[in-house]
């Protein structure tokens, strides 16, 4: 969940009253938020960097508030205050309005076809006659950062640029050029740089270096120019210094370039609705015209209101309450979802404002009604279906075996369910095609390419990481392995395996064999009988020839044990002999 830091005194001033810490914590809970921490800049620096670094830090009290990840309208002080004030019925939810100026004053953004290779979409708007204070300016910048980290997915989907409109002249052109042909003075720098020079400059920048990968391998970089050739920005990296916003800025041009058109429209709506409050005509936004390469034109921001219809009985049933349609309409209105009862007296018509992009389904509306009603006010009832919980039998068997294997002198390990292809194939001497493994379609690292089909590699890697520990090393694990199975709805099936490994100066096959006998004794499976278990000589590339056996019970193979092949031991960076046992425990349920 995103965390929003707000100054306590500014928050109370905007709310029009003060609260004790406990009262504000309760207010946040009622509104579906959580007051995570009460701190100050000095305390934060002291925790992160030590007392020596706190000189000059502020003692102003900060509230750190956890906000749901999809509530973009609550990521700044303005939206948070507005939401709380409407919730407490002190103000009505504002009505956001888009104004289209005369043709001579309309700002236009032309998109060229070159942008298709990098960032094909763009939207824009103007905040006219806005008044900034230091606090408002800081909130304006902070909201951009919050959106970049959240819905913009670290600028990969959307990048926001804000510019002092009075320093530039439209129409604007959004194009893409070879890096060597781009030259401008970036934000807060004293001289001009080419795009390649900028990439090198920001490679060591703690903030901007995380965004370079988005375009650095592209043949062209996206750029926005005004009609005089002044470069506004090189998204998603940096704005130009020429259009830098300050406290004296009166007109702000906002552009969002994107790879996701829908996300760009949401981000622009949030930016302008949050700060249009400070325009000379509050909650009004000046439209901009965007012209695409195919000649199609669009006006942004959309600031679209839409209406949904929902039965009051449906809301009551899903929450577990009994409220009248009028009361439910009032509850939803408190959540900035203006609602009224329709003529039939049973249906509610709910208006979704442009700030609530999180309202996608009827369940989202029901959830807001539940928040406004108060979860603590919902009467607890005994379910009509009477059931008694019981431990899953496979997990119960697993827990019992864990305790007794530990009592037998083995140490439990817990390894990753994902591993590399080499771990389950090449290192064990098995072809990849024979593993029947479920592959990850887009693995982040070479270490996590497939779901494990055996527990053995994980234990061997654990031993390799603990080779300096006193010998012998005796490890076990009881966990799931995954294999492909076309008969299941997900195409794979889990199997609960038990694996044990003995690592010492001698193979210790008798130790592993003894552990197998102990496990079978615990499972009440006798040796040598028709329904019991027995071992039979077998061959497996992972085991030393002549030192491998299949474990059979009731005539079916459930696993193998033996002395590992020297090649396997070497490939896992081990130097001493090793014996291993692995069985499927599901047949014993």
């Amino acid at each position: 969940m995103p965390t929003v830091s707000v100054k306590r005194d500014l928050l109370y001033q905007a709310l029009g009253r003060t609260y004790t810490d406990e009262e504000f914590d309760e207010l946040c809970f009622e509104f579906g938020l959580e007051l995570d921490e009460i701190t100050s800049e000095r305390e934060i620096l002291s925790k992160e960097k030590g007392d020596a670094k706190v000189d000059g830090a502020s003692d102003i009290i900060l509230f750190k508030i956890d906000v749901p990840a999809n509530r973009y309208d609550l990521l700044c002080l303005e939206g948070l205050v507005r939401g709380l004030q409407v919730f407490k019925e002190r103000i009505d939810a504002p009505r956001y309005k888009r104004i289209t100026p005369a043709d001579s004053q309309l700002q236009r953004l032309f998109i060229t076809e070159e942008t298709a290779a990098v960032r094909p979409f763009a939207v824009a708007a103007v905040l006219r006659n806005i008044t900034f204070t230091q606090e408002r300016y800081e909130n304006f910048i902070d909201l951009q950062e919050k959106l970049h980290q959240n819905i913009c997915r670290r600028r990969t989907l959307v990048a926001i640029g804000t510019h002092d409109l009075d320093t530039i002249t439209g129409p604007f052109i959004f194009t893409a050029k070879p890096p060597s042909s781009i030259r401008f003075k970036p934000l807060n720098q004293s001289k001009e740089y080419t795009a390649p020079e900028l990439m090198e400059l920001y490679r060591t920048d703690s903030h901007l270096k995380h965004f370079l990968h988005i375009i650095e391998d592209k043949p062209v970089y996206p750029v926005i120019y005004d009609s005089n050739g002044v470069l506004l920005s090189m998204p998603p990296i940096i704005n130009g210094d020429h259009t830098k916003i300050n406290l004296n800025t009166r007109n702000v041009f906002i552009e969002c370039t994107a790879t996701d058109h829908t996300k760009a429209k949401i981000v622009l709506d949030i930016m302008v609705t949050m700060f249009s409050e400070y325009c000379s005509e509050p909650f009004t936004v000046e439209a901009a015209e965007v012209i695409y390469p195919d000649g199609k034109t669009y006006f942004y921001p959309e600031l679209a209101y839409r209406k949904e219809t929902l039965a009051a009985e449906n809301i009551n049933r899903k929450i577990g309450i009994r409220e009248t349609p009028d009361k439910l309409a009032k509850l939803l209105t408190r959540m900035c979802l203006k609602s009224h009862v329709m003529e039939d007296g049973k249906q509610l018509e709910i208006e979704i404002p442009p700030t609530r992009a999180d309202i996608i389904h009827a369940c989202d509306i029901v959830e807001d009604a539940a928040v406004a009603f108060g979860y603590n006010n919902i009467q607890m009832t005994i379910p009509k279906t009477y059931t008694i919980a019981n431990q899953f039998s496979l997990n119960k068997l697993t827990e019992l075996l864990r305790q007794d294997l530990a009592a037998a002198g083995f140490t439990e390990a817990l390894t990753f369910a994902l591993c590399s292809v080499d771990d389950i194939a090449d290192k064990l001497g098995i072809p990849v095609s024979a593993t029947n493994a479920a592959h990850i379609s887009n693995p982040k690292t070479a270490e996590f390419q497939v779901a494990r089909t055996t527990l053995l590699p994980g234990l061997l890697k654990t031993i390799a990481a603990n080779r300096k520990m006193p010998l012998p090393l005796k490890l076990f694990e009881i966990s799931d392995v995954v294999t492909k199975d076309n008969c299941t709805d997900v195409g794979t099936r889990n199997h609960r395996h038990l694996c044990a490994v003995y690592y010492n100066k001698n193979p210790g096959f008798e130790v592993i064999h003894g552990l197998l006998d102990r496990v079978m004794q615990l499972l009440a499976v006798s040796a040598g009988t028709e329904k019991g278990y027995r071992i039979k000589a077998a061959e497996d590339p992972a085991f030393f020839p002549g030192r491998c056996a299949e474990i059979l019970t009731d005539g079916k193979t459930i696993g193998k044990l033996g002395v590992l092949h020297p090649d396997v031991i070497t490939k896992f960076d081990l130097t001493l002999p090793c014996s291993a046992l692995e069985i499927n425990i599901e047949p014993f349920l």
Side-chain angles (χ1 to χ4, degrees):
M1 292 175 70
T3 300
V4 179
S5 294
V6 295
K7 295 177 181 178
R8 182 192 63 183
D9 294 343
L10 279 178
L11 178 63
Y12 287 170
Q13 180 183 343
L15 289 173
R17 60 156 292 186
T18 59
Y19 295 84
T20 64
D21 293 344
E22 293 75 15
E23 287 173 340
F24 188 73
D25 187 18
E26 183 62 26
L27 175 60
C28 288
F29 179 79
E30 289 175 4
F31 191 51
L33 310 178
E34 181 181 354
L35 179 58
D36 181 57
E37 186 180 2
I38 301 173
T39 184
S40 67
E41 183 183 339
R42 180 180 292 274
E43 282 187 32
I44 294 172
L45 285 175
S46 179
K47 287 179 183 178
E48 293 179 353
K49 300 182 179 180
D51 293 337
K53 301 289 185 179
V54 300
D55 290 343
S58 172
D59 287 315
I60 295 175
I61 301 298
L62 299 176
F63 282 168
K64 287 193 170 185
I65 303 170
D66 283 342
V67 175
N70 60 353
R71 287 299 301 271
Y72 317 121
D73 58 313
L74 302 178
L75 290 175
C76 62
L77 174 70
E78 287 74 14
L80 187 63
V81 168
R82 202 175 301 160
L84 289 172
Q85 293 287 64
V86 173
F87 179 71
K88 298 303 286 185
E89 300 180 278
R90 295 177 187 142
I91 63 171
D92 294 328
R95 186 89 186 172
Y96 305 103
K97 184 180 178 182
R98 184 180 75 182
I99 297 175
T100 304
D103 190 69
S104 60
Q105 295 179 329
L106 181 65
Q107 299 298 333
R108 292 182 173 88
L109 175 63
F110 290 87
I111 303 177
T112 68
E113 59 186 12
E114 288 81 6
T115 60
V118 277
R119 299 178 85 80
F121 305 109
V123 295
V126 175
L127 290 178
R128 185 73 67 177
N129 296 320
I130 191 171
T131 302
F132 281 119
T133 62
Q134 184 63 39
E135 291 77 15
R136 293 174 184 177
Y137 174 79
E138 291 173 358
N139 293 343
F140 188 69
I141 301 301
D142 189 55
L143 177 60
Q144 293 179 57
E145 285 305 309
K146 286 288 192 298
L147 291 171
H148 276 150
Q149 295 298 319
N150 192 331
I151 184 175
C152 300
R153 295 293 185 270
R154 297 175 67 82
R155 304 192 190 184
T156 56
L157 299 183
V158 185
I160 309 165
T162 55
H163 313 277
D164 188 334
L165 184 58
D166 296 329
T167 65
I168 46 182
T169 306
F172 306 99
I173 298 175
F174 175 40
T175 186
K177 290 187 173 184
S180 58
S181 66
I182 300 171
R183 186 178 185 86
F184 69 106
K185 184 165 81 169
L187 192 65
N188 298 328
Q189 295 294 329
S190 58
K191 66 174 186 176
E192 291 188 346
Y193 293 85
T194 63
E197 290 172 342
L198 268 182
M199 288 300 193
E200 286 303 314
L201 176 67
Y202 291 136
R203 207 169 295 281
T204 55
D205 187 283
S206 60
H207 177 58
L208 294 177
K209 66 180 181 181
H210 304 292
F211 312 120
L212 302 182
H213 69 93
I214 301 173
I215 62 169
E216 65 179 344
D217 295 329
K218 304 290 184 182
V220 291
Y221 289 178
V223 282
I224 300 177
Y225 292 97
D226 78 345
S227 59
N228 296 323
V230 175
L231 191 143
L232 278 67
S233 68
M234 187 177 76
I237 308 303
I238 193 72
N239 287 351
D241 192 69
H242 182 85
T243 62
K244 181 179 179 180
I245 290 175
N246 55 54
L247 299 185
N248 297 319
T249 298
R250 294 287 292 160
N251 301 299
V252 179
F253 178 68
I254 303 174
E255 42 83 8
C256 300
T257 58
T259 57
D260 186 316
H261 194 205
T262 301
K263 295 286 194 300
K265 292 188 290 184
I266 293 172
V267 168
L268 183 65
D269 280 353
I270 293 298
M271 284 296 301
V272 298
T273 53
M274 293 302 102
F275 287 90
S276 58
E277 174 181 354
Y278 303 130
C279 293
S280 58
E281 190 176 345
F283 306 115
T284 60
V285 184
E286 184 177 306
E289 184 180 13
V290 177
I291 300 94
Y292 277 83
D294 59 4
K296 292 183 178 179
T297 63
Y298 301 89
F299 289 90
Y300 298 105
E302 289 187 343
L303 296 183
Y305 285 82
R306 77 176 200 273
K307 293 184 178 180
E308 300 286 344
T309 302
L310 198 57
E313 177 56 31
N314 190 19
I315 298 175
N316 279 327
R317 186 174 64 254
K318 289 186 180 297
I319 300 175
I321 58 178
R322 294 181 179 178
E323 294 296 323
T324 65
D326 286 322
K327 179 65 181 299
L328 291 174
K330 187 176 180 180
L331 291 175
L332 289 170
T333 300
R334 290 175 59 200
M335 300 299 291
C336 294
L337 302 177
K338 189 176 180 181
S339 308
H340 69 270
V341 182
M342 299 180 71
E343 291 181 0
D344 63 1
K346 297 179 181 179
Q347 302 276 341
L348 299 181
E349 186 177 74
I350 301 108
E351 186 177 58
I352 315 300
T355 53
R356 295 300 305 274
D358 60 298
I359 303 295
I360 300 172
H361 187 274
C363 285
D364 298 313
I365 298 173
V366 174
E367 180 187 10
D368 268 17
V371 170
F373 183 81
Y375 285 112
N376 287 343
N377 297 325
I378 300 173
Q379 185 177 357
M380 289 189 288
T381 57
I382 297 174
K384 294 180 180 179
T385 304
Y386 185 68
T387 59
I388 299 175
N390 199 3
Q391 188 176 14
F392 187 45
S393 56
L394 182 58
N395 289 342
K396 184 175 182 180
L397 175 61
T398 299
E399 294 299 327
L400 292 172
L401 285 173
R402 279 174 175 154
Q403 294 179 30
D404 281 291
L405 286 174
F410 281 71
T411 301
E412 184 174 18
L414 187 62
T415 61
F416 291 116
L418 299 180
C419 61
S420 68
V421 173
D422 285 346
D423 287 343
I424 61 169
D426 180 64
K427 291 182 180 179
L428 297 181
I430 304 170
V432 176
S433 57
T435 61
N436 201 29
H439 290 248
I440 308 301
S441 62
N442 55 340
K444 285 289 185 183
T445 69
E447 286 295 306
F448 302 126
Q449 296 173 318
V450 294
R452 63 186 176 191
T453 57
T454 169
L455 301 179
L456 182 59
L459 290 183
L460 293 178
K461 288 163 76 174
T462 303
I463 290 174
N466 292 275
R467 282 174 298 182
K468 294 183 179 180
M469 298 291 288
L471 296 174
L473 293 178
K474 301 160 70 176
L475 299 183
F476 81 92
E477 181 175 8
I478 307 178
S479 294
D480 282 0
V481 299
V482 181
T483 57
K484 288 192 287 188
D485 186 345
N486 294 329
C487 297
T488 63
D489 57 343
V490 295
T492 60
R493 186 180 296 278
N494 285 26
H495 302 276
R496 187 66 54 86
H497 278 204
L498 180 158
C499 185
V501 174
Y502 179 84
Y503 180 76
N504 201 357
K505 293 179 180 179
N506 54 66
F509 177 77
E510 68 281 0
V511 177
I512 286 296
H513 197 319
L515 182 67
L516 171 64
D517 290 339
R518 175 57 179 161
V519 170
M520 292 301 174
Q521 182 184 35
L522 293 167
L523 294 170
V525 179
S526 55
T529 63
E530 184 179 345
K531 292 290 185 180
Y533 78 97
R534 61 189 179 89
I535 61 173
K536 184 179 74 171
E539 293 297 325
D540 188 299
F543 293 90
F544 198 84
R547 295 292 185 271
C548 174
E550 285 183 335
I551 305 163
L552 297 95
T553 180
D554 201 15
K556 297 179 181 178
T557 300
I558 61 166
K560 291 180 181 177
L561 81 162
V563 178
L564 292 180
H565 198 286
D567 289 346
V568 173
I569 294 171
T570 303
K571 287 176 180 176
F572 281 97
D573 298 325
L574 300 176
T575 56
L576 298 176
C578 188
S579 294
L581 153 74
E582 184 162 0
I583 62 172
N584 183 355
I585 66 171
E586 292 184 10
F588 301 107
L589 288 175

